[in-house]
Amino acid sequence: QVQLVESGGGLVQPGGSLRLSCAPSGSIFRINAMGWYRQAPGKQRELVATISSGGSTNYADSVKGRFTISRDNAKNTLYLQMNSLNPEDTAVYYCNMRLTTAWHEVRPSDYWGQGTQVTVSS
């Protein structure tokens, strides 16, 4: 059973930086798209950034210029570098991977991390 393991959340002051990481445990065959989402208290989960297998990226307007999504294909690891953090970035951050676990799988499935808390406060 594949699980996505996240790390890197925590408490940071406004203007500070954090880097989130996410990697799958268990056997996988191929990872297609990857992404980060977040959910603040009382709000719906929203997209933060995505990255395709080819490296194309997409960002929410609220994080453009401050966050950078990247992937290390050799390590099957997804990253989110977050700079210039502000209190509005406080949320639980979830990684998502669309992947297959075996060569014979016709369609990839979505997997989610357990979530990591990011709190921006002075």
Side-chain angles (χ1 to χ4, degrees), residues 44-116:
Q44 289 188 330
R45 189 175 298 189
E46 63 176 4
L47 180 146
V48 175
T50 61
I51 184 166
S52 71
S53 57
S56 298
T57 58
N58 178 55
Y59 295 92
D61 288 343
S62 59
V63 307
K64 280 181 182 176
R66 300 187 298 122
F67 291 10
T68 302
I69 189 171
S70 62
R71 60 192 286 173
D72 184 332
N73 290 329
K75 297 180 179 179
N76 291 326
T77 301
L78 175 67
Y79 302 99
L80 184 68
Q81 178 66 43
M82 304 184 292
N83 299 328
S84 302
L85 285 160
N86 58 60
E88 289 69 40
D89 296 315
T90 295
V92 178
Y93 284 70
Y94 298 90
C95 67
N96 168 267
M97 293 188 182
R98 183 160 294 177
L99 59 86
T100 53
T101 60
W103 64 269
H104 55 79
E105 288 184 8
V106 176
R107 279 191 285 271
S109 298
D110 277 320
Y111 290 80
W112 291 90
Q114 79 283 2
T116 185

Side-chain angles (χ1 to χ4, degrees), residues 27-43:
S27 177
I28 63 170
F29 179 67
R30 179 181 291 125
I31 301 175
N32 295 16
M34 298 179 172
W36 289 97
Y37 295 73
R38 66 186 181 186
Q39 187 167 18
K43 295 187 177 181

Side-chain angles (χ1 to χ4, degrees), residues 15-27:
S17 298
L18 283 174
R19 189 173 86 150
L20 306 182
S21 300
C22 174
S25 65
S27 177

